[in-house]
Amino acid sequence: MTGFEPFGRWQVNSSWEAVSGLSATRNLHVHKLPVDHQLAASKIKALISEFLPNRVLLVGLADRPVPT
């Protein structure tokens, strides 16, 4: 499970706040990702290789509304 570091006008990234408290949960790995797409993708690939998870959940914060 991942959240992201703060960026732009956000002093705190609510995605990280939402998942960081779950780090003590058994069998759950929680990591903070950089907001740079390439760096985040590299870190995600490395984490998947290291932990071989059954599931991956990426939680994020949009800087602007997402079109529907």
Side-chain angles (χ1 to χ4, degrees):
M1 181 174 279
T2 66
F4 287 88
E5 63 187 11
F7 70 101
R9 63 185 168 118
W10 306 103
Q11 298 288 327
V12 175
N13 192 317
S14 58
S15 70
W16 178 245
E17 293 297 308
V19 301
S20 63
L22 300 173
S23 62
T25 304
R26 189 174 167 210
N27 296 325
L28 181 64
H29 300 279
V30 179
H31 299 273
K32 188 187 294 186
L33 296 175
V35 293
D36 177 277
H37 292 181
Q38 290 179 338
L39 292 176
S42 293
K43 186 161 185 181
I44 291 166
K45 288 176 185 177
L47 290 168
I48 290 171
S49 293
E50 180 180 351
F51 295 106
L52 302 173
N54 292 322
R55 292 169 189 85
V56 176
L57 178 61
L58 307 173
V59 179
L61 168 68
D63 190 29
R64 57 189 175 277
V66 178
T68 56

